[in-house]
Amino acid sequence: MKEIKAFLLDDDPDALLRLEYLLGKHPEVRITGSETDPQQAVHQIKSKRPDLLFLDVEMPVKGGFEILDSIRQENFCPAIVLVTGYNNYAIKAIKESVLDYLLKPVDPDELSLTIKKYIANYQLNTDSIICQAADLTEREAEIFDRLREGKTSREIAQALSISKNTVDTHRRRILKKLGLRSTTEIHLKYPLLK
C-alpha cells in the first residue's frame, strides 16, 4: 500500500495535537506537516503536496474554504477532510466534493473510516471503480483516463485515431454520467496519484 502523506491545519493547538495523536495510530499515514496559522499553511501545503489535507473550517483571517480555494487555484487537489466543531457546513462540504467531514473532537473510529474511505477512493484501482460506478463504456473509460492525465481533445483524438468531435461527444457523455460540469472538475474530483 502506498504511504499516505497528510497535512493538518487547525488554529486550535489542542485539536491539532489530538488529531496528530490519532493519526499516529495509522501506520499507513505519514504527517508531512501541521500548522495553526492559516496564512503560513497555504505555502506549506503547496510545497509539501500532501495526498490528504485535514482542514479546520473556522479560523481567523482565512477559513478552511478559502484555503481550499487557494490551493485549487494552483491546480493542486489533495483529498480534503474538513474538521470542525460545527455541523452547519456539511452541505457546502458536499458541494466542494470533500472526502469527509469530521466533527470535533475527532472520534477515533470515524477517523479510521475516513482513512479507509481514502484508500478505497484514491488508492485502489480507482479507474475501474469510477468507470463501473458511472457505467462508462470502454471507449469512454479510455478517454476518461486521458482526460485525467490532462490531455486535450486534439491529443486524445490523435492517440486514439478518431476525430476531435468524437472525443468531445464522449467527453460530454462522461461529464454527464459523472455528474460534473467541466473537465476541470475531473481533475479536482479524480486526481491522478503521484
Side-chain angles (χ1 to χ4, degrees):
M1 177 187 309
K2 179 181 175 283
E3 176 182 74
I4 303 167
K5 296 182 297 180
F7 189 94
L8 289 53
L9 171 59
D10 196 315
D11 67 322
D12 178 352
D14 292 333
L16 196 60
L17 284 173
R18 175 175 170 74
L19 187 54
E20 286 175 352
Y21 171 76
L22 293 174
L23 284 170
K25 296 182 177 192
H26 294 272
E28 66 274 30
V29 177
R30 180 171 60 90
I31 298 172
T32 59
S34 63
E35 185 58 65
T36 56
D37 181 344
Q39 292 188 299
Q40 295 291 322
V42 174
H43 174 70
Q44 290 184 50
I45 292 165
K46 290 176 185 175
S47 67
K48 293 181 188 269
R49 301 189 74 76
D51 302 309
L52 190 53
L53 176 59
F54 290 86
L55 192 57
D56 188 9
V57 176
E58 286 198 8
M59 295 178 285
V61 183
K62 220 172 205 186
F65 289 107
E66 291 173 281
I67 299 283
L68 185 54
D69 287 342
S70 295
I71 60 173
R72 284 182 172 169
Q73 285 173 7
E74 299 289 323
N75 289 325
F76 174 54
C77 308
I80 306 294
V81 177
L82 294 178
V83 183
T84 182
Y86 306 92
N87 63 4
N88 56 323
Y89 294 106
I91 299 298
K92 189 168 183 179
I94 291 167
K95 289 180 180 177
E96 292 291 338
S97 301
V98 303
L99 173 70
D100 215 341
Y101 185 90
L102 299 174
L103 289 175
K104 294 179 187 177
V106 173
D107 179 89
D109 294 332
E110 287 184 18
L111 181 61
S112 293
L113 290 174
T114 297
I115 301 298
K116 287 177 184 171
K117 187 189 293 187
Y118 174 83
I119 292 168
N121 286 316
Y122 292 88
Q123 286 199 326
L124 295 178
N125 187 351
T126 324
D127 297 341
S128 64
I129 292 169
I130 295 164
C131 294
Q132 288 170 9
D135 197 27
L136 299 183
T137 66
E138 191 174 325
R139 179 61 91 183
E140 288 168 347
E142 207 172 7
I143 290 170
F144 172 75
D145 288 342
R146 286 173 166 80
L147 289 169
R148 287 180 70 210
E149 292 168 1
K151 304 286 186 202
T152 65
S153 291
R154 186 176 311 281
E155 291 169 330
I156 296 169
Q158 288 172 347
L160 299 179
S161 301
I162 57 178
S163 76
K164 179 185 174 296
N165 288 342
T166 301
V167 173
D168 289 338
T169 299
H170 284 299
R171 183 177 43 78
R172 284 190 295 275
R173 288 182 187 152
I174 292 165
L175 292 174
K176 184 175 182 180
K177 288 181 179 182
L178 293 174
L180 304 175
R181 294 182 299 260
S182 70
T183 305
T184 303
E185 287 189 18
I186 290 176
H187 303 296
L188 294 175
K189 193 164 183 182
Y190 306 106
L192 284 175
L193 295 174
K194 298 166 200 65

